[in-house]
Amino acid sequence: MASTDPRKIAEVRDVHRLERIGAHSHIRGLGLDDALDARMVSQGMVGQNSARRAAGVILSMIQEEKIAGRAVLIAGQPGTGKTAIAMGMAKALGDDTPFTMLAGSEIFSLEMSKTEALTQAFRRSIGVRIREEAEIIEGEVVEIEIERPANGQAATFGKMTLKTTEMETMYDLGQKMIETIQKEQIQAGDIITIDKSSGKISLLGRSFARSRDYDAMGPQTRFVQCPEGELQKRKEVVHTVNLHEIDVINSRQQGFLALFAGDTGEIKHEVREQIDAKVAEWREEGKADIVPGVLFLDEVHMLDIECFSFLNRALEADSAPIVIMATNRGITNIRGTDYKSPHGIPLDLLDRMLIISTQPYTQREIRKIIDIRAEEEDVEMTEDAKELLTKIGVESTLRYAIHLITCSNLVAMKRKAQEVDVPDIRKVYSLFVDVKRSTQFLMEYQQEFMFSEVHEDADMPQAKEG
């Protein structure tokens, strides 16, 4: 029997590590059609039609760059999909629009002032799209000749012939370019681009003239047309960075390496003013555009009155992002004061917000969510088991029902079953209690616990009688 290659095992482990399933890993977007109407089940989203429609309107305004410096509040009971809607917006926006997620409690755990933490979060959410022209060589590889020394050392000289539909030229290759060609496995028939300033080689795909070799190439091969015109061209290259990255690079001695160190520390106000002035200059010259992104503040009720005052001012700035906040609180104290307010947010900040409310899920919607999560977690379940989980989700909480999916699958695997059935659900339901049963247990046995208020009352019968 052949021994297993340890490198392959490492690769498999890497794949499993990268594909870990999170609470919202099934979300692919907001699940809206072209008219911004919510589909019943789409892109991992279920129900919350009005909330998703409202989020879709905000999303389209962000994409058309017609909205900035606005605040949106998603308010609803726990487990009604507030974070899922924010995640759906992030997926729909794509990689070009900056999206920063921050929990309200994180601000108090960072080793910097609260306002500095919020400022950094704001500037992470503002992108700068920088345009520059670069000279490139683009063509189809006709032939590569690399002279390999007889002593076995690395090749230091070679020649490569490139062509377009109109011309053909031979180029000399240095050691670094030879190493890149060998690493990228570039061969005759590939379409490549070479950046003249940096010498970077990028593989675009295979020439359509080589499509007859498709069987030898594999299904992942990308075919592109042979470039037209001259080999040397001027091409506009677009880089998107956020303002915080520019701040860090200009404020630390180690430059861009500070981005990888993690500990960026507090950044001086003067540095930010200089960067803002430079970015404004680039905008006037047409070299850059500002891309207002999205800052998502979860558990916003955890912020205190100082943070709320800062948000009031920060939202009025010229280049402020869209701030989306989420909370599950009702009328409660504003942190840092004795005053009560809806959602624990001051009224003057609430007045600036567009408020989206989420509703509790219906039994039918809970069933759909359980179907999606079972598929996402790769768990086979019988219809009866899904019905029981739906009932548990209605009577207890949706989150508790979702937690039982993987647990019940482990129980089913123990008895070597192919799919989860009702006895497996009952088993884990008895092993792991929900909030209601845990509270009931506490009420029954409260006197046995430490620091029990019931126990203290029992020592003072006169207080109970009065």
Side-chain angles (χ1 to χ4, degrees):
M1 184 179 173
S3 61
T4 309
D5 186 352
R7 284 176 298 181
K8 288 184 179 177
I9 294 171
E11 282 174 17
V12 170
R13 282 178 185 158
D14 264 358
V15 167
H16 282 296
R17 183 175 59 80
L18 291 169
E19 291 182 356
R20 285 191 67 179
I21 297 161
H24 300 102
S25 56
H26 62 285
I27 304 292
R28 308 280 182 266
L30 283 173
L32 303 173
D33 59 20
D34 294 337
L36 297 182
D37 286 328
R39 301 187 187 98
M40 177 59 195
V41 181
S42 180
Q43 295 181 318
M45 298 292 286
V46 177
Q48 303 297 352
N49 291 3
S50 61
R52 281 159 56 200
R53 272 199 297 270
V57 171
I58 300 290
L59 186 71
S60 62
M61 291 167 78
I62 295 168
Q63 288 170 332
E64 292 169 15
E65 298 182 5
K66 290 182 178 178
I67 181 173
R70 300 288 182 88
V72 179
L73 178 67
I74 306 175
Q77 300 167 20
T80 52
K82 297 180 293 296
T83 309
I85 289 170
M87 290 297 294
M89 291 180 77
K91 295 282 186 185
L93 282 169
D95 296 330
D96 289 339
T97 307
F99 189 94
T100 309
M101 288 190 74
L102 188 71
S105 51
E106 281 182 54
I107 288 166
F108 299 96
S109 60
L110 298 170
E111 293 178 355
M112 61 182 78
S113 68
K114 293 173 283 190
T115 52
E116 174 66 19
L118 280 170
T119 303
Q120 290 191 12
F122 262 70
R123 290 178 77 84
R124 275 196 194 96
S125 310
I126 303 163
V128 182
R129 197 180 287 127
I130 303 166
R131 290 187 294 274
E132 61 179 7
E133 280 197 343
E135 285 198 5
I136 62 162
I137 300 167
E138 186 176 42
E140 180 184 335
V141 179
V142 178
E143 188 181 9
I144 300 173
E145 293 178 12
I146 298 172
E147 294 181 9
R148 291 181 173 80
N151 59 7
Q153 291 182 348
T156 56
F157 182 75
K159 291 182 179 181
M160 178 168 62
T161 307
L162 291 178
K163 71 167 186 178
T164 65
T165 53
E166 297 174 14
M167 62 185 294
E168 187 172 310
T169 309
M170 184 180 287
Y171 294 94
D172 292 336
L173 300 174
Q175 186 176 349
K176 284 189 176 179
M177 293 189 77
I178 290 170
E179 286 174 4
T180 307
I181 286 167
Q182 290 173 340
K183 185 181 176 183
E184 297 287 338
Q185 297 180 344
I186 292 167
Q187 55 188 329
D190 288 341
I191 308 291
I192 63 168
T193 62
I194 304 171
D195 189 331
K196 285 186 74 176
S197 59
S198 64
K200 183 185 175 186
I201 301 176
S202 303
L203 177 63
L204 300 180
R206 292 284 289 171
S207 170
F208 270 112
R210 302 280 178 147
S211 58
R212 62 181 181 275
D213 304 332
Y214 184 76
D215 292 340
M217 294 297 110
Q220 301 301 321
T221 306
R222 183 183 173 202
F223 290 101
V224 291
Q225 293 283 1
C226 181
E228 298 177 352
E230 295 188 3
L231 278 162
Q232 295 194 34
K233 298 170 185 172
R234 293 185 71 83
K235 193 174 184 180
E236 191 179 72
V237 182
V238 180
H239 309 283
T240 303
V241 292
N242 62 56
L243 282 178
H244 177 65
E245 289 170 348
I246 303 173
D247 293 346
V248 172
I249 290 166
N250 286 278
S251 68
R252 310 288 285 183
Q253 289 181 347
Q254 62 264 48
F256 78 95
L257 293 174
L259 292 169
F260 303 101
D263 180 24
T264 57
E266 297 208 6
I267 295 165
K268 292 179 181 176
H269 184 62
E270 294 79 12
V271 173
R272 290 198 173 114
E273 282 185 341
Q274 290 172 6
I275 289 163
D276 289 344
K278 191 67 182 173
V279 170
E281 187 183 313
W282 288 344
R283 288 179 70 187
E284 286 178 11
E285 293 172 2
K287 291 181 180 177
D289 292 322
I290 293 288
V291 185
V294 177
L295 170 60
F296 176 57
L297 281 172
D298 208 354
E299 303 171 358
V300 72
H301 52 266
M302 293 299 293
L303 300 183
D304 61 13
I305 191 69
E306 294 168 14
C307 296
F308 288 127
S309 299
F310 174 83
L311 285 176
N312 259 330
R313 185 187 65 79
L315 284 168
E316 292 175 350
D318 293 337
S319 57
I322 315 300
V323 181
I324 298 174
M325 309 179 195
T327 180
N328 55 21
R329 297 296 166 93
I331 296 171
T332 184
N333 277 5
I334 302 168
R335 188 168 176 172
T337 72
D338 295 327
Y339 296 103
K340 289 187 181 293
S341 179
H343 313 298
I345 300 170
L347 290 172
D348 57 340
L349 182 57
L350 274 174
D351 194 36
R352 292 174 183 268
M353 293 181 180
L354 296 166
I355 301 174
I356 300 171
S357 62
T358 55
Q359 306 298 324
Y361 288 110
T362 63
Q363 184 168 340
R364 185 183 170 203
E365 289 167 353
I366 288 173
R367 171 59 195 268
K368 292 283 186 186
I369 293 168
I370 286 168
D371 287 344
I372 291 168
R373 289 302 303 179
E375 186 181 342
E376 178 72 12
E377 296 177 27
D378 199 19
V379 175
E380 294 289 333
M381 303 183 82
T382 63
E383 286 298 310
D384 290 343
K386 285 180 180 177
E387 285 298 328
L388 181 57
L389 266 186
T390 305
K391 188 180 176 186
I392 291 169
V394 171
E395 293 178 358
S396 180
T397 63
L398 174 61
R399 284 175 179 156
Y400 175 68
I402 289 170
H403 287 324
L404 295 184
I405 293 173
T406 304
C407 300
S408 58
N409 188 44
L410 292 171
V411 172
M413 286 166 66
K414 280 284 184 185
R415 62 182 184 86
K416 295 182 172 56
Q418 295 296 319
E419 54 185 5
V420 174
D421 209 343
V422 172
D424 304 316
I425 304 287
R426 285 184 177 152
K427 175 74 173 173
V428 292
Y429 184 76
S430 64
L431 289 173
F432 304 104
V433 296
D434 59 338
V435 177
K436 286 181 182 176
R437 284 182 292 156
S438 180
T439 308
Q440 188 180 353
F441 178 81
L442 282 175
M443 295 301 289
E444 287 179 12
Y445 298 98
Q446 194 161 10
Q447 291 187 4
E448 309 298 325
F449 286 82
M450 291 181 67
F451 310 114
S452 165
E453 290 183 12
V454 174
H455 184 67
E456 288 169 11
D457 290 345
D459 291 340
M460 297 182 288
Q462 69 276 11
K464 287 177 100 176
E465 288 166 11

